[in-house]
Amino acid sequence: MGANEDNANHSGRLLVLDDDINVSATICAIADRAGFETQATTKAEEFFQLVMDWQPTHLIVDLVMPEVDGVETLHRLALSGHQGSVIVTSGLGGRVLEAASRAAEENGLRVSGVLPKPFTPAKLRSLLHQEPGDQKPPTATVQYVSPVSADMLATALAQKQLCVHYQPKIECTTEKVVGFESLVRWEHPERGMIFPDQFITLAERHGHIAELTRQVFDMSLAWFAANFLETDLKLAINMSPIVLADAQFPVWIKQACERYGVAPSQITLEITETSSMENPVASLEYLTQFRIKGFNLSIDDFGVGYSSLVQLARLPFSEMKIDKMFVMSASSSIESQKIATAVIGLANALDLNVTAEGVEDDWTLQFLCDLGCTHAQGYHIGRPMAPKLALQWLHDREKRP
Ligand code: C2E
Ligand code: MG
Ligand code: MG
Protein backbone atom coordinates (compact mmCIF):
# COMPACT_ATOMS: atom_id res chain seq x y z
CA MET A 1 0.00 0.00 0.00
CA GLY A 2 1.37 3.36 -1.06
CA ALA A 3 0.96 5.19 2.24
CA ASN A 4 3.20 2.87 4.21
CA GLU A 5 5.82 2.07 1.60
CA ASP A 6 8.10 4.64 3.26
CA ASN A 7 7.99 2.63 6.47
CA ALA A 8 9.43 -0.72 5.55
CA ASN A 9 9.53 -2.09 9.11
CA HIS A 10 5.83 -1.61 9.71
CA SER A 11 2.69 -3.21 8.33
CA GLY A 12 1.07 0.22 8.50
CA ARG A 13 -0.19 2.96 10.81
CA LEU A 14 -3.35 2.17 12.74
CA LEU A 15 -5.54 4.84 14.30
CA VAL A 16 -8.33 3.77 16.68
CA LEU A 17 -11.38 5.87 17.59
CA ASP A 18 -13.13 4.27 20.57
CA ASP A 19 -14.56 5.73 23.77
CA ASP A 20 -13.41 2.73 25.82
CA ILE A 21 -9.69 3.18 26.45
CA ASN A 22 -9.31 -0.44 27.57
CA VAL A 23 -10.61 -1.63 24.22
CA SER A 24 -8.30 0.79 22.36
CA ALA A 25 -5.34 -0.38 24.45
CA THR A 26 -6.11 -4.03 23.64
CA ILE A 27 -6.50 -3.26 19.92
CA CYS A 28 -3.24 -1.30 19.90
CA ALA A 29 -1.37 -4.08 21.71
CA ILE A 30 -2.55 -6.73 19.23
CA ALA A 31 -1.86 -4.47 16.24
CA ASP A 32 1.54 -3.55 17.63
CA ARG A 33 2.50 -7.24 17.76
CA ALA A 34 1.25 -7.59 14.19
CA GLY A 35 3.76 -4.94 13.15
CA PHE A 36 1.62 -1.79 13.15
CA GLU A 37 2.41 1.62 14.53
CA THR A 38 -0.62 2.62 16.58
CA GLN A 39 -2.41 5.62 18.05
CA ALA A 40 -5.80 5.87 19.72
CA THR A 41 -8.19 8.65 20.61
CA THR A 42 -11.64 9.06 22.13
CA LYS A 43 -12.37 12.42 20.47
CA ALA A 44 -13.72 12.98 16.98
CA GLU A 45 -11.82 16.24 16.37
CA GLU A 46 -8.51 14.73 17.45
CA PHE A 47 -9.29 11.72 15.25
CA PHE A 48 -9.74 13.89 12.13
CA GLN A 49 -6.62 15.91 12.97
CA LEU A 50 -4.59 12.68 13.21
CA VAL A 51 -6.10 11.38 9.97
CA MET A 52 -4.74 14.52 8.27
CA ASP A 53 -1.38 14.84 10.04
CA TRP A 54 -0.34 11.25 10.66
CA GLN A 55 -1.96 9.74 7.55
CA PRO A 56 -2.91 6.35 9.03
CA THR A 57 -3.16 3.42 6.62
CA HIS A 58 -5.76 1.67 8.80
CA LEU A 59 -8.62 3.02 10.88
CA ILE A 60 -10.81 1.31 13.44
CA VAL A 61 -13.96 3.26 14.22
CA ASP A 62 -16.34 2.43 17.05
CA LEU A 63 -19.93 2.93 15.96
CA VAL A 64 -21.47 3.79 19.31
CA MET A 65 -19.78 6.35 21.55
CA PRO A 66 -21.44 8.68 24.04
CA GLU A 67 -20.17 11.90 22.48
CA VAL A 68 -19.38 10.92 18.94
CA ASP A 69 -21.77 9.59 16.32
CA GLY A 70 -19.93 6.75 14.55
CA VAL A 71 -22.12 6.87 11.47
CA GLU A 72 -21.54 10.60 11.14
CA THR A 73 -17.80 10.08 11.59
CA LEU A 74 -17.74 7.52 8.78
CA HIS A 75 -19.76 9.87 6.59
CA ARG A 76 -17.35 12.75 7.23
CA LEU A 77 -14.42 10.45 6.59
CA ALA A 78 -15.92 9.43 3.25
CA LEU A 79 -16.46 13.07 2.29
CA SER A 80 -12.78 13.75 3.03
CA GLY A 81 -11.90 11.13 0.41
CA HIS A 82 -9.91 9.01 2.87
CA GLN A 83 -8.47 5.97 1.12
CA GLY A 84 -7.05 3.88 3.99
CA SER A 85 -8.59 0.60 5.18
CA VAL A 86 -11.49 1.05 7.57
CA ILE A 87 -12.73 -1.46 10.14
CA VAL A 88 -16.04 -0.72 11.83
CA THR A 89 -16.47 -2.04 15.36
CA SER A 90 -19.18 -2.04 18.02
CA GLY A 91 -20.85 -4.10 20.71
CA LEU A 92 -24.13 -3.83 18.81
CA GLY A 93 -25.41 -6.78 16.81
CA GLY A 94 -23.86 -7.79 13.49
CA ARG A 95 -26.84 -6.53 11.51
CA VAL A 96 -26.30 -2.91 12.62
CA LEU A 97 -22.56 -3.18 12.06
CA GLU A 98 -23.06 -4.55 8.58
CA ALA A 99 -25.58 -1.86 7.70
CA ALA A 100 -23.15 0.85 8.86
CA SER A 101 -20.23 -0.64 6.97
CA ARG A 102 -22.31 -1.05 3.82
CA ALA A 103 -23.33 2.60 4.03
CA ALA A 104 -19.67 3.56 4.47
CA GLU A 105 -18.69 1.51 1.44
CA GLU A 106 -21.46 2.99 -0.66
CA ASN A 107 -20.13 6.42 0.30
CA GLY A 108 -16.74 5.43 -1.10
CA LEU A 109 -14.74 4.25 1.94
CA ARG A 110 -12.55 1.18 1.63
CA VAL A 111 -14.03 -1.02 4.34
CA SER A 112 -12.07 -4.18 5.07
CA GLY A 113 -14.62 -5.60 7.49
CA VAL A 114 -16.58 -5.37 10.72
CA LEU A 115 -15.34 -6.27 14.17
CA PRO A 116 -18.15 -7.20 16.56
CA LYS A 117 -17.18 -6.88 20.23
CA PRO A 118 -16.04 -8.97 22.01
CA PHE A 119 -13.47 -10.05 19.44
CA THR A 120 -10.54 -12.43 19.36
CA PRO A 121 -6.97 -11.32 18.57
CA ALA A 122 -7.04 -13.64 15.54
CA LYS A 123 -10.13 -11.92 14.12
CA LEU A 124 -8.55 -8.49 14.55
CA ARG A 125 -5.27 -9.64 13.00
CA SER A 126 -7.03 -11.12 9.99
CA LEU A 127 -9.00 -7.90 9.42
CA LEU A 128 -5.85 -5.81 9.70
CA HIS A 129 -4.20 -7.87 7.01
CA GLN A 130 -7.24 -7.91 4.76
CA GLU A 131 -7.20 -5.63 1.74
CA PRO A 132 -10.54 -3.83 1.44
CA GLY A 133 -12.43 -4.84 -1.68
CA ASP A 134 -9.24 -6.16 -3.25
CA GLN A 135 -11.08 -8.80 -5.25
CA LYS A 136 -13.68 -6.43 -6.59
CA PRO A 137 -13.93 -6.66 -10.36
CA PRO A 138 -12.86 -3.72 -12.43
CA THR A 139 -16.22 -2.08 -12.93
CA ALA A 140 -17.01 -0.73 -16.32
CA THR A 141 -19.49 1.85 -15.16
CA VAL A 142 -17.26 4.78 -14.28
CA GLN A 143 -15.31 5.08 -17.46
CA TYR A 144 -18.20 5.98 -19.75
CA VAL A 145 -19.46 9.50 -19.99
CA SER A 146 -22.89 8.83 -21.39
CA PRO A 147 -25.14 5.78 -21.25
CA VAL A 148 -25.47 3.67 -24.36
CA SER A 149 -28.50 4.26 -26.55
CA ALA A 150 -30.91 1.90 -28.28
CA ASP A 151 -29.61 3.08 -31.68
CA MET A 152 -26.05 2.29 -30.70
CA LEU A 153 -27.17 -1.16 -29.66
CA ALA A 154 -29.00 -1.71 -32.94
CA THR A 155 -25.77 -0.81 -34.78
CA ALA A 156 -23.79 -3.14 -32.52
CA LEU A 157 -26.12 -6.02 -33.36
CA ALA A 158 -26.04 -5.24 -37.08
CA GLN A 159 -22.24 -4.97 -37.08
CA LYS A 160 -21.75 -7.99 -34.80
CA GLN A 161 -19.91 -6.08 -32.10
CA LEU A 162 -21.06 -8.43 -29.37
CA CYS A 163 -18.87 -11.23 -28.13
CA VAL A 164 -19.12 -13.79 -25.38
CA HIS A 165 -16.84 -14.51 -22.43
CA TYR A 166 -16.92 -17.76 -20.49
CA GLN A 167 -16.77 -18.22 -16.74
CA PRO A 168 -15.97 -21.69 -15.37
CA LYS A 169 -18.15 -23.52 -12.92
CA ILE A 170 -16.87 -26.31 -10.64
CA GLU A 171 -18.33 -29.10 -8.55
CA CYS A 172 -17.83 -28.16 -4.89
CA THR A 173 -16.83 -31.56 -3.53
CA THR A 174 -14.29 -32.49 -6.23
CA GLU A 175 -13.42 -29.00 -7.51
CA LYS A 176 -13.70 -30.53 -10.99
CA VAL A 177 -14.74 -28.18 -13.80
CA VAL A 178 -18.28 -29.05 -14.86
CA GLY A 179 -18.85 -26.34 -17.44
CA PHE A 180 -18.93 -22.66 -18.33
CA GLU A 181 -21.45 -19.84 -18.25
CA SER A 182 -21.54 -17.59 -21.28
CA LEU A 183 -21.66 -13.87 -20.52
CA VAL A 184 -22.17 -11.36 -23.28
CA ARG A 185 -19.84 -8.37 -23.78
CA TRP A 186 -20.01 -5.52 -26.23
CA GLU A 187 -16.74 -4.58 -27.85
CA HIS A 188 -17.46 -1.02 -28.79
CA PRO A 189 -15.00 0.38 -31.36
CA GLU A 190 -14.47 3.61 -29.38
CA ARG A 191 -15.62 2.91 -25.85
CA GLY A 192 -13.96 -0.45 -25.40
CA MET A 193 -15.62 -3.25 -23.50
CA ILE A 194 -19.17 -2.59 -22.31
CA PHE A 195 -20.67 -4.96 -19.72
CA PRO A 196 -24.17 -6.45 -19.93
CA ASP A 197 -25.58 -4.54 -16.96
CA GLN A 198 -25.43 -1.49 -19.23
CA PHE A 199 -27.35 -2.86 -22.17
CA ILE A 200 -29.51 -5.92 -21.35
CA THR A 201 -32.39 -3.86 -19.95
CA LEU A 202 -32.05 -1.47 -22.88
CA ALA A 203 -32.24 -4.41 -25.29
CA GLU A 204 -35.34 -5.70 -23.48
CA ARG A 205 -37.06 -2.31 -23.61
CA HIS A 206 -36.32 -1.57 -27.26
CA GLY A 207 -37.09 -4.89 -28.87
CA HIS A 208 -33.47 -6.00 -29.39
CA ILE A 209 -33.34 -8.80 -26.86
CA ALA A 210 -34.43 -11.59 -29.24
CA GLU A 211 -31.68 -10.74 -31.75
CA LEU A 212 -29.14 -10.34 -28.94
CA THR A 213 -30.07 -13.74 -27.52
CA ARG A 214 -29.84 -15.37 -30.95
CA GLN A 215 -26.35 -13.96 -31.51
CA VAL A 216 -25.21 -15.04 -28.04
CA PHE A 217 -26.59 -18.56 -28.59
CA ASP A 218 -24.91 -18.83 -31.97
CA MET A 219 -21.50 -17.75 -30.69
CA SER A 220 -21.75 -19.84 -27.52
CA LEU A 221 -22.92 -23.01 -29.27
CA ALA A 222 -20.23 -22.67 -31.95
CA TRP A 223 -17.49 -22.32 -29.29
CA PHE A 224 -18.87 -25.13 -27.18
CA ALA A 225 -19.37 -27.49 -30.13
CA ALA A 226 -15.84 -26.84 -31.43
CA ASN A 227 -14.27 -27.80 -28.12
CA PHE A 228 -16.49 -29.88 -25.88
CA LEU A 229 -18.78 -32.11 -27.94
CA GLU A 230 -17.23 -35.31 -26.68
CA THR A 231 -17.12 -34.23 -23.05
CA ASP A 232 -19.64 -34.14 -20.23
CA LEU A 233 -19.14 -30.40 -19.69
CA LYS A 234 -22.20 -28.17 -19.71
CA LEU A 235 -22.82 -24.70 -21.05
CA ALA A 236 -25.04 -22.21 -19.24
CA ILE A 237 -26.60 -19.38 -21.24
CA ASN A 238 -28.52 -16.46 -19.77
CA MET A 239 -31.95 -15.87 -21.15
CA SER A 240 -34.19 -12.90 -20.56
CA PRO A 241 -37.75 -13.85 -19.55
CA ILE A 242 -38.96 -11.54 -22.33
CA VAL A 243 -37.59 -13.97 -24.88
CA LEU A 244 -39.80 -16.63 -23.35
CA ALA A 245 -42.85 -14.80 -24.52
CA ASP A 246 -41.79 -15.49 -28.11
CA ALA A 247 -43.48 -18.74 -29.03
CA GLN A 248 -40.83 -19.45 -31.70
CA PHE A 249 -37.94 -19.52 -29.28
CA PRO A 250 -38.05 -23.09 -27.92
CA VAL A 251 -38.09 -24.34 -31.52
CA TRP A 252 -35.33 -21.96 -32.63
CA ILE A 253 -33.06 -23.00 -29.78
CA LYS A 254 -33.68 -26.69 -30.34
CA GLN A 255 -32.80 -26.27 -34.03
CA ALA A 256 -29.68 -24.26 -33.18
CA CYS A 257 -28.52 -27.09 -30.89
CA GLU A 258 -29.16 -29.63 -33.65
CA ARG A 259 -27.18 -27.51 -36.12
CA TYR A 260 -24.15 -27.59 -33.83
CA GLY A 261 -24.70 -31.17 -32.65
CA VAL A 262 -25.05 -30.10 -29.00
CA ALA A 263 -27.51 -32.12 -26.89
CA PRO A 264 -30.08 -29.99 -25.03
CA SER A 265 -29.04 -31.82 -21.84
CA GLN A 266 -25.65 -30.07 -22.16
CA ILE A 267 -27.32 -26.67 -22.05
CA THR A 268 -28.62 -24.86 -18.98
CA LEU A 269 -30.82 -21.85 -19.56
CA GLU A 270 -30.36 -19.33 -16.76
CA ILE A 271 -33.39 -17.16 -16.26
CA THR A 272 -33.40 -14.00 -14.21
CA GLU A 273 -36.83 -13.06 -13.06
CA THR A 274 -37.76 -9.46 -13.62
CA SER A 275 -40.92 -7.46 -13.38
CA SER A 276 -41.10 -8.01 -17.13
CA MET A 277 -42.42 -11.55 -16.68
CA GLU A 278 -45.90 -10.25 -17.20
CA ASN A 279 -47.63 -13.36 -18.31
CA PRO A 280 -46.96 -16.06 -15.74
CA VAL A 281 -49.12 -18.75 -17.35
CA ALA A 282 -47.36 -18.38 -20.68
CA SER A 283 -43.95 -18.52 -19.04
CA LEU A 284 -44.96 -21.67 -17.22
CA GLU A 285 -45.86 -23.24 -20.56
CA TYR A 286 -42.67 -22.11 -22.32
CA LEU A 287 -40.42 -23.19 -19.49
CA THR A 288 -42.12 -26.57 -19.40
CA GLN A 289 -41.55 -26.89 -23.16
CA PHE A 290 -37.83 -26.32 -22.63
CA ARG A 291 -37.69 -28.99 -19.94
CA ILE A 292 -39.56 -31.44 -22.18
CA LYS A 293 -37.04 -30.76 -24.94
CA GLY A 294 -34.29 -31.78 -22.49
CA PHE A 295 -32.79 -28.41 -21.51
CA ASN A 296 -31.81 -27.70 -17.90
CA LEU A 297 -33.40 -24.63 -16.38
CA SER A 298 -31.84 -22.47 -13.73
CA ILE A 299 -33.37 -19.68 -11.66
CA ASP A 300 -30.60 -17.06 -11.59
CA ASP A 301 -29.93 -14.48 -8.85
CA PHE A 302 -32.13 -16.34 -6.38
CA GLY A 303 -32.85 -14.24 -3.33
CA VAL A 304 -32.96 -10.81 -4.96
CA GLY A 305 -35.55 -8.98 -7.03
CA TYR A 306 -38.28 -11.13 -8.43
CA SER A 307 -36.65 -14.53 -8.02
CA SER A 308 -39.04 -15.51 -5.31
CA LEU A 309 -40.23 -18.63 -3.57
CA VAL A 310 -43.41 -18.42 -5.63
CA GLN A 311 -41.46 -18.74 -8.88
CA LEU A 312 -39.42 -21.56 -7.44
CA ALA A 313 -42.47 -23.49 -6.41
CA ARG A 314 -44.46 -23.13 -9.61
CA LEU A 315 -41.88 -23.15 -12.40
CA PRO A 316 -40.03 -26.30 -13.48
CA PHE A 317 -36.45 -25.31 -12.58
CA SER A 318 -33.70 -27.89 -12.24
CA GLU A 319 -31.12 -25.58 -10.67
CA MET A 320 -31.00 -22.56 -8.43
CA LYS A 321 -28.22 -19.97 -8.39
CA ILE A 322 -27.78 -18.13 -5.12
CA ASP A 323 -27.28 -14.47 -5.84
CA LYS A 324 -23.67 -13.36 -5.52
CA MET A 325 -24.71 -10.67 -3.05
CA PHE A 326 -24.98 -13.31 -0.30
CA VAL A 327 -21.96 -15.30 -1.47
CA MET A 328 -19.46 -12.46 -1.86
CA SER A 329 -20.15 -11.26 1.66
CA ALA A 330 -20.35 -14.68 3.34
CA SER A 331 -16.84 -14.59 4.78
CA SER A 332 -17.47 -11.30 6.54
CA SER A 333 -21.19 -11.38 7.29
CA ILE A 334 -22.98 -13.73 9.65
CA GLU A 335 -26.28 -12.64 8.08
CA SER A 336 -25.12 -13.69 4.60
CA GLN A 337 -23.89 -17.00 5.99
CA LYS A 338 -27.31 -17.65 7.48
CA ILE A 339 -29.09 -16.76 4.24
CA ALA A 340 -26.74 -18.97 2.19
CA THR A 341 -27.32 -21.82 4.65
CA ALA A 342 -31.10 -21.47 4.41
CA VAL A 343 -31.11 -21.18 0.60
CA ILE A 344 -28.88 -24.23 0.13
CA GLY A 345 -31.09 -26.16 2.57
CA LEU A 346 -34.14 -25.14 0.57
CA ALA A 347 -32.56 -26.22 -2.73
CA ASN A 348 -31.52 -29.56 -1.26
CA ALA A 349 -35.00 -30.12 0.14
CA LEU A 350 -36.46 -29.45 -3.32
CA ASP A 351 -33.89 -31.73 -5.00
CA LEU A 352 -32.45 -28.87 -7.03
CA ASN A 353 -28.80 -28.44 -7.90
CA VAL A 354 -27.56 -25.28 -6.31
CA THR A 355 -24.79 -23.08 -7.70
CA ALA A 356 -23.21 -20.32 -5.67
CA GLU A 357 -21.96 -17.46 -7.85
CA GLY A 358 -19.55 -14.79 -6.64
CA VAL A 359 -17.16 -17.10 -4.75
CA GLU A 360 -14.18 -14.86 -4.13
CA ASP A 361 -12.09 -16.79 -1.59
CA ASP A 362 -11.25 -20.28 -0.44
CA TRP A 363 -12.96 -19.90 2.94
CA THR A 364 -16.29 -19.29 1.16
CA LEU A 365 -15.78 -22.26 -1.17
CA GLN A 366 -15.19 -24.58 1.80
CA PHE A 367 -18.08 -23.07 3.73
CA LEU A 368 -20.48 -23.64 0.83
CA CYS A 369 -19.18 -27.14 0.22
CA ASP A 370 -19.77 -28.05 3.88
CA LEU A 371 -23.35 -26.80 3.56
CA GLY A 372 -24.05 -29.13 0.63
CA CYS A 373 -23.84 -26.58 -2.19
CA THR A 374 -23.35 -28.54 -5.43
CA HIS A 375 -21.56 -26.08 -7.71
CA ALA A 376 -19.56 -22.89 -7.42
CA GLN A 377 -18.53 -20.05 -9.68
CA GLY A 378 -16.56 -16.91 -8.96
CA TYR A 379 -13.33 -14.96 -9.29
CA HIS A 380 -11.62 -17.32 -6.83
CA ILE A 381 -12.14 -20.12 -9.35
CA GLY A 382 -11.93 -18.20 -12.61
CA ARG A 383 -13.11 -14.90 -14.06
CA PRO A 384 -15.16 -14.65 -17.22
CA MET A 385 -12.61 -15.07 -20.03
CA ALA A 386 -12.43 -14.54 -23.78
CA PRO A 387 -12.98 -17.84 -25.70
CA LYS A 388 -9.29 -18.68 -26.25
CA LEU A 389 -8.28 -17.71 -22.74
CA ALA A 390 -11.02 -19.89 -21.27
CA LEU A 391 -9.65 -22.88 -23.20
CA GLN A 392 -6.13 -22.09 -22.02
CA TRP A 393 -7.39 -21.75 -18.44
CA LEU A 394 -9.05 -25.17 -18.62
CA HIS A 395 -5.95 -26.71 -20.15
CA ASP A 396 -3.72 -25.26 -17.38
CA ARG A 397 -6.12 -26.36 -14.67
CA GLU A 398 -6.28 -29.90 -15.96
CA LYS A 399 -2.47 -30.08 -15.77
CA ARG A 400 -2.57 -29.15 -12.08
CA PRO A 401 -1.54 -31.96 -9.76
P1 C2E B 1 -25.42 -13.36 -13.95
O1 C2E B 1 -25.95 -14.29 -14.96
O2 C2E B 1 -25.90 -13.51 -12.55
O3 C2E B 1 -23.83 -13.48 -14.06
C1 C2E B 1 -22.97 -13.34 -12.99
C2 C2E B 1 -22.32 -11.98 -12.99
O4 C2E B 1 -21.46 -11.91 -11.86
C3 C2E B 1 -21.42 -11.73 -14.18
O5 C2E B 1 -21.43 -10.34 -14.43
C4 C2E B 1 -20.05 -12.14 -13.67
O6 C2E B 1 -18.97 -11.52 -14.35
C5 C2E B 1 -20.13 -11.66 -12.24
N1 C2E B 1 -19.29 -12.45 -11.37
C6 C2E B 1 -18.95 -13.75 -11.48
N2 C2E B 1 -18.16 -14.15 -10.46
C7 C2E B 1 -17.99 -13.07 -9.65
C8 C2E B 1 -17.27 -12.85 -8.44
O7 C2E B 1 -16.63 -13.73 -7.88
N3 C2E B 1 -17.35 -11.60 -7.91
C9 C2E B 1 -18.06 -10.61 -8.50
N4 C2E B 1 -18.08 -9.42 -7.92
N5 C2E B 1 -18.76 -10.78 -9.66
C10 C2E B 1 -18.73 -12.00 -10.21
P2 C2E B 1 -21.64 -9.79 -15.91
O8 C2E B 1 -20.89 -10.60 -16.90
O9 C2E B 1 -21.38 -8.32 -15.87
O10 C2E B 1 -23.18 -10.07 -16.19
C11 C2E B 1 -24.16 -9.39 -15.49
C12 C2E B 1 -25.52 -9.95 -15.79
O11 C2E B 1 -25.91 -9.68 -17.15
C13 C2E B 1 -25.59 -11.47 -15.69
O12 C2E B 1 -25.71 -11.84 -14.36
C14 C2E B 1 -26.83 -11.78 -16.52
O13 C2E B 1 -28.00 -11.60 -15.76
C15 C2E B 1 -26.78 -10.70 -17.58
N6 C2E B 1 -26.28 -11.30 -18.84
C16 C2E B 1 -25.02 -11.61 -19.20
N7 C2E B 1 -24.98 -12.15 -20.43
C17 C2E B 1 -26.27 -12.22 -20.86
C18 C2E B 1 -26.91 -12.71 -22.05
O14 C2E B 1 -26.28 -13.22 -22.98
N8 C2E B 1 -28.27 -12.59 -22.12
C19 C2E B 1 -29.00 -12.06 -21.10
N9 C2E B 1 -30.34 -11.99 -21.25
N10 C2E B 1 -28.46 -11.61 -19.96
C20 C2E B 1 -27.10 -11.68 -19.85
MG1 MG C 1 -26.33 -16.19 -15.04
MG1 MG D 1 -26.56 -14.26 -11.06
Side-chain angles (χ1 to χ4, degrees):
M1 293 193 36
N4 62 15
E5 273 165 6
D6 56 342
N7 199 339
N9 294 325
H10 288 98
S11 305
R13 287 180 292 277
L14 169 70
L15 175 61
V16 185
L17 173 64
D18 197 311
D19 63 308
D20 186 334
I21 50 173
N22 290 325
V23 171
S24 311
T26 309
I27 291 177
C28 288
I30 296 167
D32 192 51
R33 260 175 271 133
F36 283 80
E37 277 187 87
T38 59
Q39 290 208 52
T41 173
T42 56
K43 307 247 172 340
E45 286 319 313
E46 192 182 9
F47 172 80
F48 282 107
Q49 197 61 52
L50 280 165
V51 168
M52 268 183 1
D53 299 344
W54 191 49
Q55 304 233 325
T57 56
H58 292 68
L59 299 174
I60 295 187
V61 177
D62 188 11
L63 211 50
V64 188
M65 292 169 281
E67 285 165 28
V68 186
D69 180 329
V71 174
E72 206 177 288
T73 305
L74 290 171
H75 195 89
R76 191 169 149 194
L77 202 58
L79 288 180
S80 77
H82 182 76
Q83 282 303 298
S85 306
V86 178
I87 296 168
V88 188
T89 183
S90 124
L92 288 179
R95 210 181 272 268
V96 179
L97 261 182
E98 278 163 24
S101 82
R102 217 169 14 250
E105 248 173 353
E106 280 167 14
N107 284 332
L109 286 179
R110 304 177 70 229
V111 179
S112 46
V114 296
L115 183 68
K117 292 178 191 169
F119 55 86
T120 61
K123 173 74 186 170
L124 174 57
R125 276 195 300 271
S126 90
L127 280 178
L128 285 172
H129 291 300
Q130 191 160 309
E131 270 287 298
D134 52 354
Q135 293 113 332
K136 291 239 168 79
T139 47
T141 38
V142 276
Q143 65 201 45
Y144 305 125
V145 275
S146 59
V148 294
S149 69
D151 286 348
M152 284 167 67
L153 185 56
T155 309
L157 287 165
Q159 297 183 354
K160 301 275 184 326
Q161 290 171 0
L162 299 188
C163 67
V164 179
H165 282 196
Y166 299 92
Q167 186 177 33
K169 181 168 161 180
I170 61 166
E171 187 174 54
C172 287
T173 46
T174 59
E175 299 200 8
K176 224 179 114 222
V177 177
V178 292
F180 289 89
E181 174 176 1
S182 80
L183 294 157
V184 67
R185 268 88 182 101
W186 175 356
E187 281 180 330
H188 192 277
E190 279 115 43
R191 295 186 179 204
M193 180 97 82
I194 305 181
F195 287 80
D197 285 343
Q198 296 190 37
F199 59 87
I200 292 292
T201 313
L202 190 76
E204 288 177 339
R205 289 210 187 112
H206 291 84
H208 298 308
I209 193 67
E211 176 58 19
L212 182 150
T213 308
R214 269 192 213 103
Q215 292 195 10
V216 168
F217 262 80
D218 253 328
M219 286 185 274
S220 307
L221 287 173
W223 178 78
F224 190 76
N227 299 290
F228 304 115
L229 271 196
E230 304 301 321
T231 69
D232 49 13
L233 294 188
K234 288 202 164 78
L235 178 68
I237 306 182
N238 291 284
M239 215 169 100
S240 158
I242 289 201
V243 174
L244 291 173
D246 177 349
Q248 300 307 312
F249 238 84
V251 179
W252 184 87
I253 290 176
K254 181 96 198 317
Q255 286 171 350
C257 285
E258 280 164 7
R259 235 181 10 257
Y260 289 103
V262 176
S265 59
Q266 286 185 284
I267 303 292
T268 301
L269 304 172
E270 293 192 4
I271 293 151
T272 308
E273 292 291 329
T274 62
S275 54
S276 55
M277 211 146 169
E278 278 159 8
N279 188 345
V281 178
S283 45
L284 179 57
E285 281 174 359
Y286 297 137
L287 286 176
T288 307
Q289 278 179 292
F290 280 117
R291 279 310 294 278
I292 291 171
K293 288 184 165 51
F295 293 97
N296 304 291
L297 285 186
S298 174
I299 180 164
D300 207 343
D301 300 344
F302 186 79
V304 303
Y306 292 81
S307 296
S308 66
L309 289 171
V310 177
Q311 305 293 8
L312 192 63
R314 60 184 289 279
L315 298 174
F317 290 107
S318 45
E319 183 199 64
M320 171 208 281
K321 290 188 92 171
I322 314 176
D323 191 77
K324 59 178 181 291
M325 182 182 172
F326 307 115
V327 179
M328 281 162 60
S329 54
S331 63
S332 60
S333 156
I334 304 272
E335 309 299 330
S336 296
Q337 286 171 23
K338 287 182 183 159
I339 290 171
T341 307
V343 171
I344 292 169
L346 175 68
N348 287 339
L350 292 172
D351 264 340
L352 296 173
N353 277 329
V354 53
T355 297
E357 60 179 25
V359 176
E360 294 191 343
D361 55 62
D362 197 51
W363 184 92
T364 306
L365 183 59
Q366 295 314 318
F367 168 75
L368 294 163
C369 184
D370 292 346
L371 289 177
C373 183
T374 39
H375 299 111
Q377 220 180 320
Y379 295 166
H380 175 62
I381 299 148
R383 286 179 179 255
M385 292 166 276
K388 277 196 187 129
L389 276 178
L391 294 178
Q392 185 62 48
W393 178 92
L394 185 64
H395 180 72
D396 293 346
R397 187 170 170 110
E398 280 169 350
K399 279 201 308 205
R400 267 184 8 181

